[in-house]
């Protein structure tokens, strides 16, 4: 294709020099490298924020389980099922995520009107994207809560009562 373009241009005007040969796709790619870099950085910062939120939720949930170890030991000694202990720990983690979403989602929807002028083709809140973000955070909260919940069910009731 490149050779055909060279021969066609040479037949039209032999004095023309071709400095750079690019397809239309390459020209478009060259024009939007800065925007792609900004989009990738934004995605990276979003993923980093999700990771930090999950780690923070994990830390708080693990701390809560450690503080409640005697209570969990008593529950298990009295015959509580492991699934009930897991549900109790996960409920606490998911409640924290829900409270965060109750604060964060309205703030995100409110702030769209201030940043929509800086973003391409953003005129209002995209509820599909909002739902995907909420679902991703819910999954991250569930994963962050499962690890301390599994650890709580592996507590020996006798050892848990000796901690105090």
């Amino acid at each position: 294709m490149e050779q055909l373009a060279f021969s066609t241009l040479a037949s039209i005007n032999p004095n023309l020099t071709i400095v750079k040969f690019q397809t239309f796709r390459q020209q478009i790619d060259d024009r939007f490298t800065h925007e792609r870099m900004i989009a990738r950085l934004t995605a990276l910062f979003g993923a980093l924020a999700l990771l930090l939120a999950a780690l923070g939720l994990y830390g708080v949930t693990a701390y809560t389980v450690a503080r409640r170890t005697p209570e969990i030991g008593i529950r298990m000694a009295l015959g509580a099922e492991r699934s009930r202990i897991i549900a109790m720990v996960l409920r606490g983690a998911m409640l924290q995520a829900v409270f965060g979403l109750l604060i964060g989602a309205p703030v995100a929807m409110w702030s769209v009107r201030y940043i929509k002028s800086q973003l391409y083709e953003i005129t209002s809140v995209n509820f599909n994207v909002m739902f995907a973000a909420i679902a991703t955070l819910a999954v991250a909260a569930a994963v962050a809560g499962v690890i301390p919940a599994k650890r709580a069910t592996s507590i020996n009731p006798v050892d848990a009562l000796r901690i105090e």
Side-chain angles (χ1 to χ4, degrees):
M1 181 148 124
E2 189 174 337
Q3 191 60 34
L4 178 64
F6 284 134
S7 61
T8 304
L9 287 173
S11 67
I12 294 172
N13 187 352
N15 294 327
L16 283 177
T17 46
I18 300 172
V19 178
K20 185 176 182 182
F21 183 82
Q22 280 187 314
T23 64
F24 190 61
R25 171 57 50 196
Q26 290 170 336
Q27 290 177 14
I28 291 172
D29 288 345
D30 285 350
R31 287 273 182 217
F32 293 106
T33 55
H34 181 72
E35 287 80 3
R36 270 195 203 92
M37 183 189 66
I38 297 293
R40 286 185 183 134
L41 279 174
T42 303
L44 176 71
F45 287 138
L48 197 62
L50 178 65
L51 177 68
L52 287 174
L55 286 174
L57 186 59
Y58 166 76
V60 169
T61 306
Y63 177 73
T64 303
V65 167
R67 297 280 297 168
R68 295 176 72 181
T69 299
E71 174 197 344
I72 293 170
I74 291 171
R75 287 176 185 260
M76 291 181 71
L78 292 174
E81 297 175 5
R82 292 187 185 274
S83 61
R84 305 257 316 180
I85 301 294
I86 290 174
M88 178 184 70
V89 173
L90 279 177
R91 190 175 320 118
M94 294 309 285
L95 276 174
Q96 291 174 5
V98 166
F99 285 137
L101 285 171
L102 286 176
I103 295 169
V107 168
M109 286 187 236
W110 177 75
S111 63
V112 164
R113 65 178 165 178
Y114 295 111
I115 60 171
K116 70 181 178 182
S117 64
Q118 299 173 1
L119 300 173
Y120 179 69
E121 287 190 5
I122 301 294
T123 56
S124 65
V125 175
N126 186 339
F127 289 103
N128 292 333
V129 172
M130 184 69 77
F131 178 74
I134 289 171
T136 304
L137 186 62
V139 168
V143 169
V146 164
I147 298 168
K150 290 287 188 181
R151 192 174 304 137
T153 59
S154 67
I155 294 173
N156 186 356
V158 175
D159 294 337
L161 295 174
R162 286 188 189 150
I163 288 177
E164 273 191 34

